[in-house]
């Protein structure tokens, strides 16, 4: 009986360790992804600033749209501790967090449309509408 209990505890302990690794991976990967999104925004800014047409960014924007559609899934319960700036509000107000992600997706989809029309002024306006959706989420759900 005692042996079985000990074996059970060992399995639990191992499970705990692998879970800690998995959470670390999730944090590392989402942070790398978000960093990449920031770089995409900077690259597009250079074109938006001079009202370039932005057609070359359609692939980038497909990637960004997919990333933000999947963003909430990159914050599983329990991934709020460790090397992360994720705030507990992500889980206590998860509906708000998902809505903030959806808002970013909607603005990115509009930017994707503007990029394909080849209208530089429209690209600039649509690019400017994306940044506030990043900031809105960061204000409530990310530590400074
Ligand atoms: C739905 C919420 C949400 C939206 C929308 C959002 N972010 Fe974030 N962002 C976060 C959270 C939460 C973190 C902190 C992640 C962590 O530390 O685990 C973060 C972190 C980051 C980081 C830091 C990554 C690192 O190196 O640790 C960058 C850069 C970033 N976001 C850029 C952006 C940009 C650019 C946009 C808009 C295109 C955006 N984010 C939209 C929630 C969001």
């Amino acid at each position: 009986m005692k042996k079985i209990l000990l074996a059970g505890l060992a399995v639990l302990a191992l499970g705990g360790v692998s879970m800690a690794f998995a959470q670390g991976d999730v944090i590392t990967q989402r942070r790398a992804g978000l960093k990449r999104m920031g770089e995409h925004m900077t690259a597009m800014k250079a074109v938006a600033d001079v009202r370039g047409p932005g057609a070359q960014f359609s692939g980038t924007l497909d990637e960004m749209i997919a990333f933000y559609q999947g963003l909430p899934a990159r914050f599983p319960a329990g991934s709020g501790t460790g090397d992360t700036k994720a705030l507990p509000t992500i889980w206590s107000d998860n509906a708000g967090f998902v809505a903030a992600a959806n808002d970013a997706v909607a603005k990115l989809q509009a930017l994707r449309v503007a990029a394909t029309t080849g209208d530089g002024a429209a690209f600039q306006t649509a690019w400017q509408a994306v940044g506030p959706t990043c900031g809105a989420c960061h204000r409530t759900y990310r530590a400074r």
Side-chain angles (χ1 to χ4, degrees), residues 9-10 16-17 19 22 29-30 34 49 52 57-58 73 84 100 110 113 115 123 128-129 135-136 142:
L9 282 177
V17 167
M19 229 172 90
Q29 282 171 17
R30 77 180 172 220
L34 284 158
D49 279 353
F57 293 117
S58 55
T84 175
V113 170
F123 184 75
Q128 287 167 345
R142 184 182 76 166

Side-chain angles (χ1 to χ4, degrees), residues 11-80:
V11 167
L12 270 181
L14 277 176
V17 167
S18 67
M19 229 172 90
F21 273 123
Q23 298 295 15
D25 277 359
V26 142
I27 292 170
T28 306
Q29 282 171 17
R30 77 180 172 220
R31 289 188 55 193
L34 284 158
K35 188 162 177 267
R36 190 171 154 84
M37 297 306 117
E39 287 160 5
H40 287 333
M41 283 299 283
T42 305
M44 288 191 286
K45 180 183 193 301
V47 174
D49 279 353
V50 297
R51 298 192 176 193
Q56 71 269 39
F57 293 117
S58 55
T60 300
L61 285 161
D62 285 341
E63 181 197 324
M64 291 186 78
I65 289 163
F67 180 84
Y68 284 101
Q69 282 171 336
L71 189 70
R74 290 174 179 269
F75 290 85
S79 68

Side-chain angles (χ1 to χ4, degrees), residues 111-134:
L111 182 58
R112 173 86 171 70
V113 170
T116 53
T117 62
D119 176 345
F123 184 75
Q124 182 185 54
T125 304
W127 182 86
Q128 287 167 345
V130 175
T133 70
C134 314

